[in-house]
Amino acid sequence: AKKLFADAQAMLTKLVEEQWLKASGVVGLWPANGLGDDILVYGSDERDKVIATFHGLRQQIARRKDSDRAHVALSDFVAPAETKVPDYIGGFAVTAGLGLEQALAEHFDATDDYGRIMLTALADRLAEAFAEHMHARMRREFWGYADDEQLSVEQIIDEDYRGIRPAPGYPSQPDHTEKATLFSLLHAPSSTGISLTESFAMLPAASVSGLYFSHPGSYYFGVGKIERDQVEDYARRKGWPRETAERWLSPVLNYDTRAAG
């Protein structure tokens, strides 16, 4: 472990000094309100025009009758539209992988698996660090809801701050296609050089994207397995045939589509 750490530090120093990689990122902040399991994004603080909708899924995890834990959706962390409370949502897309393929080709033999894996892993870690850095700036500067925040590195690692930054494709929203809405709002491809594949993977791979929530009670959660009724509701909200929703949500379905009819 000590050798691995030392090798990584040496390579990190070299890639910084010789500028092997380039980082690029964009963040955004928009007026927003919740509507059921969805989040409406407005074009201005007048809130008279919806310019995008983030679609959500609600937990269907079985609870004990005496449990007071809610079955949450991400929309629960934004003020409901009917309350008329002006709320906001943020988004980001960052990468530290620009130039990675060129660096791999120029500095490592095709047979140097150790070096190639090390550089790729460092690019991934730098992207995650970039995401953490921009989240801190969003809390303290751009959104400013925690402008007096003073946290140690250990506290940041422990996520001891207000708000979350969940990503499409992860447990709280397992549908990767929601990245398309985020990337459109952020103009991410032209702003950062990050693109989406047909399967909504990000290129360069050393990239991170997601949403910002400021609600003091927000937390990370997993939707878990979902039933056909929720899939049908989700498909209706997305404007999809049920079969399309089942394809994109296949990892979290709690039923066999072949027997669903």
Side-chain angles (χ1 to χ4, degrees):
K2 288 182 178 179
K3 181 182 185 303
L4 180 64
F5 182 77
D7 290 346
Q9 291 295 307
M11 186 179 292
L12 179 61
T13 298
K14 191 169 186 178
L15 75 86
V16 171
E17 289 178 348
E18 299 182 7
Q19 299 182 6
W20 290 359
L21 304 177
K22 179 183 176 182
S24 181
V26 61
V27 297
L29 185 63
W30 308 277
N33 285 111
L35 182 64
D37 294 347
D38 292 340
I39 299 169
L40 306 179
V41 180
Y42 304 103
S44 71
D45 276 320
E46 299 300 319
R47 299 172 189 263
D48 54 2
K49 182 180 179 182
V50 175
I51 60 172
T53 301
F54 288 108
H55 301 92
L57 290 162
R58 188 168 296 276
Q59 287 178 313
Q60 291 187 321
I61 297 172
R63 306 276 196 213
R64 291 194 325 230
K65 290 184 178 180
D66 60 348
S67 175
D68 59 356
R69 294 188 63 187
H71 290 81
V72 296
L74 287 173
S75 58
D76 292 348
F77 303 139
V78 184
E82 64 266 23
T83 65
K84 306 296 183 182
V85 174
D87 207 348
Y88 296 84
I89 190 172
F92 70 97
V94 300
T95 183
L98 298 174
L100 176 60
E101 294 303 319
Q102 182 179 349
L104 289 171
E106 289 184 359
H107 302 289
F108 301 93
D109 294 333
T111 56
D112 185 3
D113 292 339
Y114 182 75
R116 297 173 71 87
I117 291 172
M118 178 72 76
L119 180 58
T120 302
L122 282 172
D124 289 340
R125 293 301 89 204
L126 288 168
E128 293 288 352
F130 193 7
E132 194 73 74
H133 173 70
M134 294 310 298
H135 193 186
R137 293 195 65 186
M138 178 62 76
R139 297 191 303 271
R140 300 168 188 169
E141 299 176 46
F142 308 134
W143 199 338
Y145 64 82
D147 56 359
D148 59 347
E149 177 184 285
Q150 297 290 332
L151 298 177
S152 66
V153 172
E154 289 76 16
Q155 287 174 308
I156 291 175
I157 292 173
D158 290 338
E159 298 174 350
D160 190 18
Y161 45 72
R162 175 179 158 183
I164 56 174
R165 59 170 191 275
Y170 283 79
S172 58
Q173 172 43 291
D175 177 13
H176 283 276
T177 71
E178 288 292 294
K179 288 177 194 163
T181 303
L182 175 63
F183 270 52
S184 176
L185 285 169
L186 291 169
H187 305 288
S190 59
S191 298
T192 66
I194 307 171
S195 61
L196 294 174
T197 68
E198 289 184 356
S199 60
F200 294 93
M202 290 179 287
L203 293 177
S207 302
V208 187
S209 64
L211 298 173
Y212 293 129
F213 292 83
S214 67
H215 193 296
S218 60
Y219 59 92
Y220 295 104
F221 63 90
V223 167
K225 297 293 184 178
I226 59 176
E227 301 292 348
R228 184 178 177 182
D229 60 337
Q230 189 172 12
V231 173
E232 290 176 343
D233 177 68
Y234 188 74
R236 176 187 58 78
R237 288 183 279 125
K238 292 275 285 191
W240 284 348
R242 190 196 72 232
E243 293 77 11
T244 301
E246 287 175 337
R247 178 162 61 89
W248 287 107
L249 297 173
S250 58
V252 297
L253 297 183
N254 201 34
Y255 62 92
D256 186 349
T257 57
R258 294 170 297 181

